[in-house]
Amino acid sequence: MLYTVVDVETTGLSPRQNRIIEIGAVKVLDGKVQNEYFHTIVNPGEEVSLFILSLTEIPREEIMSAPSIEHVMPDFLEFLGKDSVFVGHNARFDYSFINEELRRYFWKPIKNEVVDTIRLAKRRLPGLQSYRLEALINYFGFNHKKNHRALDDAKITAEILLKLLDDKH
């Protein structure tokens, strides 16, 4: 099965009121993270708060000089593909932001099957105190510090996905 693990960084928590500022995605096929990545910074067309700039550590200048979502989305949709399973840690968040951006430009929403690594972890690892990305990184002993950067977080989520799909858990 082909999975595309996606992470977005945004200007806030509401898909209707906020915008994407970064997209990262990685392909997973046949139980292996592929050397196929999608990454871009996105100019949201609005001011980005100091809190978000500090959280992501993406320089304001890099965001403001980046392409808009309408220029980025065709390449992202091609990378995602129609047959790939959309995976995310709290996948509904990432999926809803992608679809809201598509709606803004009168494009069709994506309809990919969705796997949420939080829900999968709750089924496969019942009883953990937390299912946050940092907690799963620690549980599996990965040497990674969550840094609110889309591609890095997509890569580590892909590794978590593989651990959760492994029959040993």
Side-chain angles (χ1 to χ4, degrees):
M1 184 165 291
L2 176 62
Y3 300 93
T4 303
V5 183
V6 178
D7 186 69
V8 299
E9 300 301 331
T10 65
T11 60
L13 300 176
S14 169
R16 291 219 178 236
Q17 297 174 1
N18 301 118
R19 303 291 184 268
I20 293 173
I21 59 170
E22 185 179 32
I23 304 172
V26 59
K27 296 282 189 181
V28 175
L29 179 64
D30 297 330
K32 293 181 185 164
V33 177
Q34 303 298 295
N35 196 21
E36 290 184 62
Y37 305 111
F38 179 89
H39 176 255
T40 188
I41 304 293
V42 179
N43 183 332
E46 63 184 39
E47 193 63 30
V48 179
S49 73
L50 289 176
F51 173 76
I52 296 297
L53 292 172
S54 174
L55 183 68
T56 63
E57 297 182 357
I58 304 171
R60 182 185 309 273
E61 303 76 38
E62 197 172 328
I63 293 171
M64 299 320 287
S65 65
S68 67
I69 195 73
E70 64 185 307
H71 290 100
V72 166
M73 199 57 82
D75 291 335
F76 171 74
L77 293 174
E78 183 177 330
F79 183 82
L80 175 65
K82 292 182 189 309
D83 297 328
S84 176
V85 176
F86 184 107
V87 179
H89 197 75
N90 189 12
R92 186 174 56 206
F93 179 86
D94 303 285
Y95 197 83
S96 65
F97 265 92
I98 295 293
N99 274 334
E100 184 61 25
E101 294 287 11
L102 290 169
R103 185 196 65 77
R104 275 190 195 100
Y105 293 96
F106 304 101
W107 293 336
K108 292 180 182 177
I110 58 173
K111 303 232 187 235
N112 299 59
E113 182 181 344
V114 177
V115 170
D116 185 339
T117 53
I118 292 175
R119 293 180 121 170
L120 186 57
K122 286 179 178 180
R123 276 197 306 264
R124 300 295 301 228
L125 306 169
L128 288 185
Q129 287 188 327
S130 172
Y131 294 93
R132 295 179 53 148
L133 191 57
E134 296 91 340
L136 294 176
I137 289 168
N138 292 334
Y139 176 84
F140 289 117
F142 292 126
N143 185 17
H144 175 85
K145 182 178 184 286
K146 185 176 183 327
N147 62 2
H148 296 284
R149 291 304 303 265
L151 184 56
D152 287 344
D153 289 349
K155 287 178 181 179
I156 198 65
T157 300
E159 295 294 342
I160 288 169
L161 172 70
L162 291 176
K163 289 287 192 182
L164 293 171
L165 294 175
D166 188 341
D167 288 335
K168 296 174 189 138
H169 287 94

